[in-house]
Amino acid sequence: QWYQRRVHGKQWYQRRVHGKQWYQRRVHGKQWYQRRVHGKQWYQRRVHGDDRKAFMEEVKTTQTSDKHHKKEKTHTRFKFIDKGFNGGKDTDAVGKNSNRTTFECQVHFPRQFAALRMVACGGDKKFTHSLSRCNRWSATGGKKGSFAKTCDERYILKYVQKTEFQRFTDTAEKYFEHMARSFYKKYPSVLCQILGVYQVSWSVGGQKVKNRYILVMPNLFYGRQIASLDVSEDVHKWSQGCRIFDLKGSMRNRYIDNKTKERPQNVLHDGNFVEFTQGFPVPLDDTSKEFLYAAIHNDTLFLTQSEIVDYSILVGIDEQRSELLIGIIDYLRQYHLREKAEEIAKSFGVMTGGHKPTVIEPRAYKQRFRAAMDRYFMVAPDRCSKRPLRPKGKSIEDAVREIHINC
């Protein structure tokens, strides 16, 4: 035994005497060994409980069969036919029913989104009831006809391009994991959740099939009175309600002059936000600022790992209730060759003293976004705020600088 330990080493001897399982448990720890022996789902259920297991089983977007090693389908398809007013009796010259309309709907990740809606909005009953009736909605800042809103104004339907749709479905597993950390580990997050992903197609009388790619999101300003601008006298004159800003942290082409537009826009940009606050940050209490800082840190970290850029934070200032409504939106654009070419083409203006392009590489976009949110929102101490202690061996200026950066 002494000779074997001396020649082959202590680790080899322990593995030979006590066995491979004992050695793995000793080296990697008890938790690693339990996950390896009993599986990831069993370990999550043991650590986090049955509720965590129920959600995480649905989060698993691709499951592998041990026998065939093939990925299961991540979508469900529904199809139905509307024969028209005459029950399909009208035919054209070719003999096809001219009034017959074929509808097809593909529900992507149905189990995962059903589990997400269970914890986010209380299940599918109210969700499907709201989606049963929708109207077109002309959202300020978006493309014409690219949005719809349910009649009860609870949810917003966004029509996206096929490329953006495919990019989201490719990174959907990371999205569900981020939502699981937010709901079950209580990680702060202000990400405006996507509650459903659908591909709807239809054809009339055997003609070419038309496709629509739809994302369903909650209405951030549900139950709030949205303010409108009166530009006849003063650009700062608002009706009583909620003021809305779309902030990206960039000042390049991020100002809307409603005086020169026939149709005023209710959703304004970074330049308008700085003008509205007169260059001062919006004050928040300690708890709100701490939550906002942690939420932006978590969400931007997730978006950067997914190589997503051009996202923004939608801010609504409700002066009647003295509340701030915040949500990160438009997180569908990934940094690929097209975005790289756009960054290079728009970077020539930086040499002449202009601002950097809005779309830059993900890590730089994350840093600029975080720095801008720190400038836009600050801590307003109150009676409940804890007085920070001055560290020993540091000047007052250094201590204040550290406190400001940490908050």
Side-chain angles (χ1 to χ4, degrees):
Q1 294 178 357
W2 177 87
Y3 178 75
Q4 289 177 344
R5 286 188 66 176
R6 182 175 181 84
V7 175
H8 300 287
K10 182 179 179 181
Q11 296 180 352
W12 179 89
Y13 179 74
Q14 288 178 342
R15 196 170 176 179
R16 180 178 178 87
V17 174
H18 301 287
K20 183 179 180 181
Q21 295 179 352
W22 180 91
Y23 178 73
Q24 289 177 342
R25 191 171 179 179
R26 180 178 178 85
V27 174
H28 301 287
K30 183 179 179 181
Q31 296 178 352
W32 180 90
Y33 180 73
Q34 288 178 343
R35 282 186 73 174
R36 182 177 180 87
V37 175
H38 301 286
K40 184 178 180 180
Q41 294 180 356
W42 178 91
Y43 177 74
Q44 289 175 346
R45 184 178 181 182
R46 180 179 179 86
V47 175
H48 302 286
D50 294 336
D51 295 337
R52 167 85 174 182
K53 175 181 177 294
F55 183 80
M56 292 303 296
E57 284 181 351
E58 308 302 335
V59 167
K60 198 71 176 178
T61 57
T62 54
Q63 297 178 351
T64 306
S65 174
D66 295 335
K67 184 176 180 179
H68 301 286
H69 296 282
K70 294 182 180 179
K71 292 184 177 180
E72 295 183 357
K73 292 183 178 179
T74 59
H75 63 271
T76 303
R77 181 176 299 179
F78 300 92
K79 184 177 181 181
F80 60 96
I81 300 173
D82 183 9
K83 296 183 179 180
F85 295 102
N86 297 330
K89 297 181 180 180
D90 296 339
T91 56
D92 53 10
V94 187
K96 295 183 179 180
N97 182 10
S98 58
N99 292 329
R100 180 176 177 177
T101 305
T102 303
F103 294 93
E104 186 173 331
C105 178
Q106 291 186 16
V107 184
H108 291 257
F109 307 101
R111 297 173 57 191
Q112 292 83 354
F113 277 115
L116 177 60
R117 290 190 295 267
M118 183 63 66
V119 295
C121 55
D124 288 342
K125 187 175 182 179
K126 295 181 179 180
F127 181 76
T128 53
H129 179 72
S130 298
L131 290 183
S132 60
R133 298 183 62 187
C134 302
N135 293 325
R136 288 185 179 180
W137 181 48
S138 179
T140 306
K143 296 181 180 179
K144 186 177 180 180
S146 59
F147 290 91
K149 185 187 290 186
T150 59
C151 290
D152 58 1
E153 298 186 352
R154 286 182 177 270
Y155 303 101
I156 294 176
L157 286 73
K158 182 177 181 181
Y159 304 109
V160 298
Q161 300 293 331
K162 183 178 180 180
T163 54
E164 295 180 342
F165 186 87
Q166 290 179 345
R167 289 174 183 175
F168 176 80
T169 54
D170 292 339
T171 60
E173 185 174 356
K174 295 181 180 179
Y175 169 75
F176 292 124
E177 291 176 355
H178 182 70
M179 289 292 101
R181 289 191 294 266
S182 175
F183 283 108
Y184 289 98
K185 289 188 176 181
K186 304 302 179 182
Y187 285 6
S189 174
V190 291
L191 203 69
C192 192
Q193 301 130 5
I194 295 177
L195 302 176
V197 177
Y198 308 94
Q199 178 182 349
V200 180
S201 60
W202 67 94
S203 61
V204 181
Q207 297 179 0
K208 186 178 180 180
V209 177
K210 299 180 180 180
N211 292 314
R212 279 289 183 92
Y213 303 93
I214 305 172
L215 306 179
V216 181
M217 300 173 292
N219 184 8
L220 188 62
F221 307 117
Y222 171 71
R224 306 299 178 106
Q225 182 182 359
I226 305 301
S228 60
L229 271 172
D230 184 7
V231 297
S232 59
E233 299 179 0
D234 189 3
V235 71
H236 295 291
K237 186 176 181 180
W238 291 72
S239 65
Q240 294 296 323
C242 182
R243 310 185 185 190
I244 305 174
F245 298 93
D246 185 282
L247 307 177
K248 290 187 178 181
S250 174
M251 289 296 177
R252 184 182 180 121
N253 299 327
R254 297 292 296 170
Y255 181 81
I256 297 177
D257 190 2
N258 279 319
K259 290 183 177 180
T260 60
K261 293 191 175 184
E262 298 180 357
R263 183 184 177 187
Q265 297 188 16
N266 290 336
V267 181
L268 303 180
H269 292 167
D270 296 69
N272 304 97
F273 182 80
V274 175
E275 184 183 42
F276 168 70
T277 60
Q278 299 180 1
F280 295 97
V282 177
L284 303 175
D285 56 49
D286 287 343
T287 305
S288 301
K289 174 60 178 178
E290 183 179 359
F291 179 87
L292 179 62
Y293 179 86
I296 291 177
H297 179 86
N298 295 334
D299 293 334
T300 53
L301 180 62
F302 153 68
L303 296 174
T304 303
Q305 291 174 350
S306 302
E307 297 185 351
I308 296 176
V309 295
D310 204 25
Y311 49 88
S312 60
I313 188 166
L314 194 64
V315 179
I317 304 175
D318 193 343
E319 295 185 349
Q320 293 181 345
R321 303 185 184 181
S322 299
E323 293 180 356
L324 200 66
L325 309 174
I326 292 179
I328 294 180
I329 59 173
D330 296 338
Y331 49 92
L332 298 174
R333 187 176 180 182
Q334 287 185 314
Y335 190 76
H336 291 305
L337 183 61
R338 179 180 177 183
E339 285 72 22
K340 294 180 182 178
E342 179 181 346
E343 179 184 358
I344 296 174
K346 294 183 178 181
S347 296
F348 292 102
V350 181
M351 301 178 183
T352 60
H355 296 284
K356 291 185 178 180
T358 303
V359 178
I360 53 180
E361 64 95 15
R363 291 191 177 183
Y365 193 95
K366 175 191 67 175
Q367 295 175 358
R368 185 182 65 185
F369 189 84
R370 289 178 177 178
M373 296 308 112
D374 285 340
R375 293 195 308 269
Y376 294 160
F377 307 98
M378 65 169 290
V379 175
D382 54 12
R383 294 181 179 179
C384 299
S385 302
K386 294 183 179 180
R387 183 178 179 181
L389 299 177
R390 177 181 172 182
K392 296 181 180 180
K394 293 187 178 180
S395 62
I396 297 178
E397 291 78 7
D398 294 338
V400 171
R401 189 180 298 108
E402 289 185 0
I403 295 170
H404 177 71
I405 293 174
N406 290 334
C407 66

